[in-house]
Amino acid sequence: MPIDSLIPDTIAPPFARYAHGVATENLVLTSGQLPLAKDGSIPVGAEAQAHLCFANIEAILAEGGTSKDHVLRINAFVTDRADMQGYMAARDAWLADAKVLPASTLMIVSGFTRPEFLVEIEVMALRP
């Protein structure tokens, strides 16, 4: 079974030697997406950061031949309980027109590679 690396050129490149996602015949898995825009900017606030993470995830899913309508699971990470509401508002907006709601996990972590990152999100989706 072939595995394809997914590195859309519409989003910021990965930080190191890894792919933003991988696709198999049946699945697309994304790496954790941090809120980094293609121009290198980072939005302020957890909600804005989560919106950008989900936009990047959309690009990865599209490159893998799937969409949010086929997402099985969301794993999300925030650095503070105060960031939960902003993340959840962005998640709920992203899923507002989804045909099926995925499983979802939210964890509070001590931090990410840069202190200005407040949110990281990864998904697993079916590849129709």
Side-chain angles (χ1 to χ4, degrees):
M1 175 185 310
I3 300 173
D4 298 316
S5 294
L6 304 174
I7 307 175
D9 59 9
T10 57
I11 64 177
F15 291 123
R17 189 163 167 71
Y18 66 92
H20 280 306
V22 294
T24 69
E25 182 179 341
N26 300 319
L27 292 174
V28 171
L29 303 165
T30 71
S31 295
Q33 294 302 297
L34 290 162
L36 185 66
K38 186 165 173 72
D39 67 4
S41 63
I42 300 167
V44 175
E47 186 170 352
Q49 289 191 9
H51 280 294
L52 178 56
C53 291
F54 282 118
N56 290 345
I57 287 167
E58 288 259 356
I60 298 162
L61 293 175
E63 183 151 313
T66 191
S67 72
K68 68 182 169 187
D69 289 326
H70 299 282
V71 171
L72 300 171
R73 179 173 192 76
I74 300 171
N75 288 326
F77 311 87
V78 297
T79 57
D80 193 291
R81 280 181 176 79
D83 297 328
M84 290 171 53
Q85 279 190 304
Y87 159 75
M88 289 188 293
R91 181 203 56 207
D92 292 352
W94 188 63
L95 294 172
D97 61 350
K99 295 176 184 172
V100 177
L101 295 176
S104 182
T105 298
L106 175 60
M107 293 167 263
I108 300 167
V109 297
S110 63
F112 301 113
T113 55
R114 291 170 53 179
E116 57 270 35
F117 292 141
L118 305 175
V119 178
E120 183 170 344
I121 306 167
E122 63 185 28
V123 304
M124 176 191 302
L126 284 177
R127 191 176 192 191

